[in-house]
Amino acid sequence: MDTIVIVLAVAVVLLALVMIAALFIVVRRTAGVAAPSGPSPEQLAEVKAEVNEELERARREAEEIRTKAERDAGEILQKSESLAESAALTRKEVEEEARLLKTELKELRSDLERRENRLAEREQRLDEEARRQAERARKLAETETELADRREDLERVAERRKEILERVAGLTADQAKAELVKEIENQAKREAALIVREIESDARKEGEKRACKIVTLAVQRVATEQTAESVVSVLHLPGDEMKGRIIGREGRNIRAFESTTGVNLIIDDTPEAVLLSCFDPVRRETARLTLEKLVLDGRIHPQRIEEAHERSKAEVRDLCVRAGEDALVELGITEMHPELITLLGQLRYRTSYGQNVLKHLIESAHIAGIMAAELRLDRDLVKRCALLHDIGKALTHEVEGSHAMIGAEIARRYGEHEDVVHAIEAHHNEVEVRTVEAVLTQAADAISGSRPGARRESLEAYVKRLERLEEIAQSYDGVDKVFAMQAGREIRVMVRPDNVDDIQAQVIARDVAKQVEEELTYPGQIRITVVRESRATEFAR
């Protein structure tokens, strides 16, 4: 409202100023004409008209100013009302927020009071617990002191008791303990020997089942090592950059090589070398020759791999035939089926316990021929039996069954004599031996496989193993003499009959066998035989 009053006052002032300006104009116009008798009526009319126009114009401007002032006043009034409303709302919000803050502050104060009360209670409980712990520690200290006193009393009583027992028994405590341990040990060994005898008596009734289980376990023990030896070949490369060419773009060459040859190609961090792995020795040798040709040529791609593989297959086939023919020439054997000669040559790439199978067959044939000549038997027939007794090993991975039965079937298919077939199928006692030729074949096979240095170990290791076998058996009480026999496959232990009874002899045999199993590594099995001989001696005087 104050603003409206100010605006109206300004409008009145402006109107007065306009009227004063109009009068000033009239005076200025009349000042230039001097009339002794005053202004004429026309001049007065003009002045009046001008004054009226100025007044009318001033009135209109004053009206416009008043209208504008009223409009501005209305707007100002509306703004004032809206500001008043917003101020009222703001005040209400502030009051509400202040109320909420007061409520929250009151709750926080209550919570703080509760926490202070809980802390006070907890401090009180902790003080009580500390007092109880101190009391418990005091009691424990008293108990420990009392226990220490009792322990000293018990030790003095035990020492007096020990002195009395030693004085009565005539033995020290260590001597009595040793005697007791020895007696318990002998008693336990006797009971164990009796239990073992009963168990073995029951086991003999299931001989075939037990034998199959033992053979299966023996095969399992040596399977990993034998496989690692016989299924891997190494090819040396001129440089490590050749490995990238062998692999090819995105492995194209290595996939083509493995699919063509059927052999796994292993490329690892070994410098300038790759591994070829396959259970078939002939296939592995073919792949080795193929890769060797590719490396020498330098051009490695799928088509080139197939061409090199075909040439290597023909080369390996020729080598197998040549190796078989050389074996026949060396032994003086003639007239053998070409397929048997090829299979015989394939054995040059196979080993058994580190011994080359083809050389083993040739050696067995020579040994069998010598024994046949001493017995005045047919040398050619016996040599033929010994040469072909492991022919089935060339196909053991392709045909189901043992190599003896497979070899007999192959020999029968290709027209070999029935005595030769029987010697092949009976050389591992899978068929009952019926002929002398079969017995000589078994003997020649055993001699060739068990001679020093033939399989797995060198002569030096063989001698050390025999010496260790004798040392193990000699270390037991009551043993008189020990002999390692049959190339270390049997240990003959002679015991003193006065110191060792029959049950103790059985215990010694089992202990020796257990120690040999734990300390030594050997092919096949070792028999431990304990001999106890009773002798009665008198003198005639």
Side-chain angles (χ1 to χ4, degrees):
M1 293 300 292
D2 295 337
T3 305
I4 296 173
V5 172
I6 292 170
V7 171
L8 291 176
V10 171
V12 171
V13 171
L14 289 175
L15 182 59
L17 290 175
V18 170
M19 292 177 67
I20 291 170
L23 290 176
F24 178 74
I25 293 170
V26 172
V27 171
R28 191 182 57 184
R29 289 182 178 180
T30 58
V33 180
S37 58
S40 64
E42 291 83 4
Q43 291 176 344
L44 292 175
E46 290 177 359
V47 171
K48 186 178 182 179
E50 290 177 0
V51 169
N52 289 334
E53 289 178 0
E54 292 292 334
L55 289 174
E56 184 66 25
R57 186 167 57 252
R59 190 181 296 108
R60 286 196 302 271
E61 291 176 358
E63 185 69 22
E64 291 176 358
I65 290 170
R66 186 180 61 78
T67 304
K68 183 177 180 182
E70 291 178 353
R71 185 171 62 252
D72 293 340
E75 292 177 358
I76 291 171
L77 183 61
Q78 291 178 358
K79 288 181 180 181
S80 299
E81 292 176 354
S82 62
L83 288 174
E85 292 177 357
S86 62
L89 292 175
T90 303
R91 185 174 60 255
K92 186 181 294 185
E93 291 177 356
V94 170
E95 291 175 354
E96 181 67 22
E97 186 174 357
R99 186 180 62 78
L100 293 176
L101 287 174
K102 288 180 180 179
T103 304
E104 185 177 357
L105 183 61
K106 187 182 294 184
E107 293 177 355
L108 289 175
R109 187 179 295 110
S110 301
D111 189 17
L112 183 59
E113 291 177 355
R114 288 195 297 273
R115 290 187 179 183
E116 289 177 353
N117 294 332
R118 286 199 299 270
L119 287 175
E121 293 176 357
R122 185 175 299 176
E123 289 178 357
Q124 185 178 359
R125 288 197 300 270
L126 287 175
D127 292 339
E128 294 176 357
E129 184 66 24
R131 287 194 295 272
R132 286 197 297 269
Q133 292 292 337
E135 183 67 19
R136 187 178 301 173
R138 186 182 62 77
K139 291 182 179 179
L140 285 176
E142 294 176 355
T143 304
E144 287 179 356
T145 304
E146 184 179 356
L147 288 176
D149 296 339
R150 290 186 179 182
R151 188 181 298 109
E152 292 179 358
D153 295 339
L154 289 174
E155 288 178 354
R156 286 195 295 270
V157 172
E159 188 66 25
R160 288 198 299 270
R161 182 173 176 271
K162 180 179 178 181
E163 293 175 357
I164 294 171
L165 289 175
E166 289 179 355
R167 187 169 58 253
V168 172
L171 295 174
T172 64
D174 294 335
Q175 291 174 349
K177 187 184 297 183
E179 289 291 333
L180 180 60
V181 170
K182 186 175 181 180
E183 182 65 24
I184 293 175
E185 183 179 358
N186 291 332
Q187 184 179 359
K189 287 186 176 181
R190 287 175 178 273
E191 293 178 356
L194 292 174
I195 294 173
V196 168
R197 182 178 294 179
E198 293 178 1
I199 294 174
E200 289 183 349
S201 178
D202 295 336
R204 289 191 186 96
K205 298 177 183 179
E206 302 176 355
E208 187 66 26
K209 185 185 297 185
R210 185 181 178 89
C212 291
K213 183 178 180 180
I214 292 173
V215 171
T216 304
L217 293 176
V219 171
Q220 182 181 5
R221 285 179 59 187
V222 301
T224 302
E225 184 178 355
Q226 176 61 19
T227 301
E229 286 183 353
S230 62
V231 301
V232 176
S233 296
V234 180
L235 178 66
H236 295 282
L237 302 176
D240 285 337
E241 67 275 5
M242 184 59 68
K243 292 182 179 180
R245 299 174 64 180
I246 293 174
I247 296 173
R249 182 180 301 173
E250 298 179 355
R252 179 185 63 176
N253 292 341
I254 192 172
R255 288 195 300 270
F257 182 86
E258 290 181 349
S259 63
T260 301
T261 61
V263 176
N264 291 329
L265 182 59
I266 303 172
I267 300 177
D268 53 13
D269 295 333
T270 305
E272 299 180 357
V274 295
L275 299 179
L276 297 167
S277 175
C278 181
F279 62 92
D280 188 344
V282 178
R283 192 189 302 171
R284 189 173 66 252
E285 178 65 16
T286 304
R288 189 188 68 80
L289 291 177
T290 301
L291 187 58
E292 188 176 24
K293 293 179 184 298
L294 293 171
V295 170
L296 290 175
D297 184 60
R299 295 175 298 169
I300 304 177
H301 51 82
Q303 184 177 358
R304 181 65 179 167
I305 291 172
E306 293 177 0
E307 295 173 359
H309 182 252
E310 291 299 325
R311 289 200 303 272
S312 299
K313 284 175 61 177
E315 184 176 346
V316 170
R317 191 181 304 112
D318 294 338
L319 289 174
C320 292
V321 174
R322 191 178 308 143
E325 291 174 351
D326 293 341
L328 295 180
V329 171
E330 182 178 351
L331 297 172
I333 298 176
T334 58
E335 296 179 359
M336 184 175 289
H337 196 279
E339 290 297 329
L340 286 178
I341 296 175
T342 302
L343 293 176
L344 197 63
Q346 290 179 2
L347 293 175
R348 67 174 292 187
Y349 300 112
R350 177 157 184 168
T351 59
S352 178
Y353 291 101
Q355 184 181 25
N356 185 275
V357 176
L358 181 58
K359 292 181 179 179
H360 164 65
L361 294 180
I362 296 173
E363 184 179 4
S364 300
H366 282 301
I367 296 171
I370 294 171
M371 291 189 294
E374 292 292 332
L375 297 176
R376 297 184 181 181
L377 299 175
D378 188 351
R379 291 183 58 191
D380 293 336
L381 179 61
V382 175
K383 289 167 66 175
R384 199 179 191 95
C385 294
L387 179 64
L388 297 177
H389 78 273
D390 277 343
I391 193 69
K393 288 185 177 181
L395 295 176
T396 49
H397 60 281
E398 300 175 3
V399 181
E400 184 177 359
S402 66
H403 72 275
M405 304 307 295
I406 295 172
E409 182 62 28
I410 294 172
R412 184 179 291 110
R413 184 189 309 167
Y414 292 120
E416 288 295 324
H417 194 275
E418 191 60 32
D419 290 341
V420 177
V421 175
H422 174 67
I424 295 173
E425 66 185 2
H427 77 277
H428 282 316
N429 292 320
E430 294 180 63
V431 176
E432 184 179 359
V433 179
R434 299 190 303 269
T435 63
V436 180
E437 290 80 6
V439 175
L440 292 180
T441 301
Q442 285 184 340
D445 182 26
I447 293 170
S448 175
S450 61
R451 65 173 175 79
R455 296 187 176 183
R456 282 190 178 271
E457 52 191 358
S458 62
L459 179 59
E460 182 180 359
Y462 167 77
V463 173
K464 289 183 179 180
R465 182 165 63 88
L466 295 184
E467 292 176 351
R468 182 56 186 158
L469 288 174
E470 293 183 353
E471 289 176 1
I472 290 174
Q474 193 70 47
S475 63
Y476 288 85
D477 295 335
V479 175
D480 187 16
K481 298 178 182 179
V482 178
F483 302 101
M485 308 175 67
Q486 296 186 6
R489 295 188 178 184
E490 181 179 356
I491 303 175
R492 194 74 55 85
V493 183
M494 307 294 182
V495 298
R496 289 186 289 272
D498 297 336
N499 300 334
V500 179
D501 57 10
D502 291 340
I503 297 177
Q504 188 66 21
Q506 182 68 30
V507 172
I508 290 175
R510 185 159 301 279
D511 291 345
V512 171
K514 184 177 180 181
Q515 188 173 353
V516 169
E517 289 178 356
E518 293 176 350
E519 295 186 10
L520 300 180
T521 302
Y522 49 88
Q525 61 184 8
I526 298 177
R527 175 186 297 175
I528 292 88
T529 303
V530 179
V531 179
R532 178 179 180 271
E533 182 181 9
S534 298
R535 295 184 182 182
T537 304
E538 290 291 340
F539 294 94
R541 295 180 177 85

